Every structure is written in structure tokens, then in C-alpha cells.
Amino acid sequence: MITVGVIYKNENELIANTAKQVIKDLKGQGFKVSLSGAKFVLSLGGDGTILRAAGLVAKQGIPILGVHMGGLGFLSEIFLAELNEALIKIKKGQYTIDERTMIEAQVRGKTITALNDLVIGKSGISRVIKIELEGVAKYTADGLIFSTASGSTAYNLSAGGPLLTPQSASYVVSAICPHSSSTRPIVLDMPVTLVLKRGGEVVLTSDGQHMFPIKEGQTIKVQRSKLKTRFIRLQKYDFFGRVKSSFGF
């Protein structure tokens, strides 16, 4: 018996009701439904749900099948109507695994991991913050985005950062509303240490879902994580085709 996990946004009544029916159908098809010991997980929703799923299962190396039921759905693989066909293919082993690089920050003895991005920004009164990337650059801006290749199409893109192809192991540092017009995004493939020089109420946000307060003078190490997010792909992943259809490039 194959064990499959189901992750969804419980606060959305439509998705929650659909998820209950999906779970019922899975059991009727002979699947065991549980995150414990799962061979793969279904993420029912949009990209935000996939990011939450990545945070839950990356350590276990469990692959994710994204079922698009939410907003943009850039990371999703199928629509709900295609689920039964997808399950048949998975049972037959007719799929590939797409591994994505994750990023992490080490602060105060804690490791914070993200699939898309880590963002340092203001949480209170509107004022610029000053951050130094040791040996790299100094920033006066509203914040900094540290984006993986997967996240390069998200907040990073809105901040004027470049796209990275999905298999890139590098990450992008993009400033949010920098004070200097000469400030440009930087692509790095090495760990960096940053120091918050000035900022007041500042937080480190992981994938837009978890916040951690940062104090002035605090040192943070940012680097590529050893963890990977694994996606189930049922067909060749056309990155630039998705970029064109989603963003009109």
C-alpha cells in the first residue's frame, strides 16, 4: 500500500472541502493517507501551499506533487481534474524528480530554511535600514531579498532582480527600494555574512510565512542549504514557457 500525504490550506473552505473529498477518493483507490512514511505528498492550493509543504517535508526528502487550486500556481504540476491520471502514472513509476536548491540563514544558533527566499525588512515604523554584507557590499534600503533560483520569479523579480534557471545552485541578493540608484542585484554562489547596522524593528522572513526578529548589531550567515525540495514531474518542465505564460515575457 502506497502512503501519500495531503497538505492544503484549511482556512479556505472550498479547498478544505475539496481536500476531504480527495482524501476519501485516495483511500477508495487503495492509498494510505498520512504524512508519516509518505512516498509523496499532494499540495492542494497555490504556490504558498507548496512553500509550506516544502518546509514540512524537505528534511525527509519526500517529493511534492503540486495540484493547482490557488493563485499563480507557478510551481504546480497539474490541475485537480488531472489528479486521477497523475496517480496512475505515479503508481507505474512514470515520473521524474525535480530537485530544487534551498537557502538558509543561521542566526542566534537557529537555522532558518526557505525554498523561495529569505527577506530582511522592516516590521514597524517606516525608515531605511542599513546592512553590510561583509566583503561584498553595503546597503541602505527598505530591506534585502536573498532568493533561490525557484524564488527568482517571485519577490526578487518584483524588486528588479534577474531570473535564474531552476537548476542553478546560485542565489540572488536584491535590495528593496535602495537609497542609491547605483545599487544592483548580485548573484552569489558562496556563503555571506551580514550585519544589521541600523534598522529599529527588523524581521527576517522565510518564504513569506515565518518571521524572526533581528536586532541591530546582529550577525547572520546566509548560504545554500544542504536540503533540497523535491518535485514530482509528469512531463518535461518548460521553465521559460511558464515564465512567458505567467508574466507575459
Side-chain angles (χ1 to χ4, degrees):
M1 180 180 290
I2 299 175
T3 301
V4 54
V6 180
I7 297 172
Y8 58 94
K9 191 174 183 179
N10 196 48
E11 307 87 74
N12 185 307
E13 185 177 356
L14 176 61
I15 292 178
N17 289 336
T18 302
K20 291 174 183 177
Q21 184 60 50
V22 167
I23 291 170
K24 182 179 178 180
D25 292 344
L26 286 169
K27 291 178 178 178
Q29 295 175 42
F31 289 95
K32 178 182 177 181
V33 180
S34 173
L35 277 180
S36 178
K39 180 178 180 180
F40 65 96
V41 299
L42 299 178
S43 172
L44 306 178
D47 287 345
T49 305
I50 288 179
L51 294 176
R52 185 164 70 89
L56 291 172
V57 303
K59 286 184 179 180
Q60 293 77 32
I62 302 172
I64 300 167
L65 178 64
V67 183
H68 185 201
M69 293 181 61
L72 185 61
F74 191 82
L75 296 172
S76 299
E77 180 67 7
I78 61 170
F79 290 97
L80 182 62
E82 301 170 300
L83 179 56
N84 286 335
E85 181 182 353
L87 292 173
I88 292 171
K89 289 183 177 180
I90 291 171
K91 281 184 176 180
K92 293 180 178 179
Q94 297 174 350
Y95 63 91
T96 59
I97 296 295
D98 174 11
E99 290 193 340
R100 298 295 184 89
T101 296
M102 301 181 75
I103 194 169
E104 68 180 29
Q106 296 176 1
V107 54
R108 299 196 304 273
K110 185 178 181 65
T111 300
I112 302 159
T113 308
L115 169 59
N116 261 11
D117 50 44
L118 297 166
V119 179
I120 297 176
K122 301 171 295 186
S123 66
I125 191 169
S126 180
R127 59 179 292 192
V128 295
I129 61 179
K130 291 189 176 183
I131 299 173
E132 179 180 351
L133 291 188
E134 294 183 349
V136 179
K138 296 180 180 179
Y139 296 89
T140 300
D142 282 357
L144 281 185
I145 305 165
F146 295 84
S147 170
T148 64
S150 295
S152 68
T153 57
Y155 198 178
N156 164 73
L157 188 63
S158 299
L163 293 177
L164 299 181
T165 52
Q167 300 310 314
S168 173
S170 299
Y171 61 94
V172 185
V173 183
S174 299
I176 305 168
C177 298
H179 184 263
S180 172
S181 60
S182 64
T183 302
R184 293 291 181 266
I186 302 173
V187 178
L188 298 173
D189 60 3
M190 62 183 186
V192 291
T193 299
L194 66 92
V195 181
L196 178 62
K197 294 294 187 178
R198 190 186 78 183
E201 297 180 14
V202 176
V203 293
L204 171 64
T205 306
S206 167
D207 278 341
Q209 302 192 20
H210 306 288
M211 293 193 303
F212 307 86
I214 305 297
K215 297 180 180 179
E216 288 185 11
Q218 215 154 43
T219 298
I220 303 170
K221 183 178 181 180
V222 178
Q223 62 187 0
R224 184 167 57 241
S225 174
K226 293 181 180 179
L227 297 178
K228 302 275 190 179
T229 295
R230 307 175 75 225
F231 289 105
I232 289 177
R233 299 299 180 200
L234 301 171
Q235 56 189 347
K236 184 178 179 181
Y237 187 81
D238 182 6
F239 173 69
F240 287 106
R242 293 194 180 204
V243 168
K244 290 175 183 177
S245 62
S246 297
F247 307 119
F249 277 33

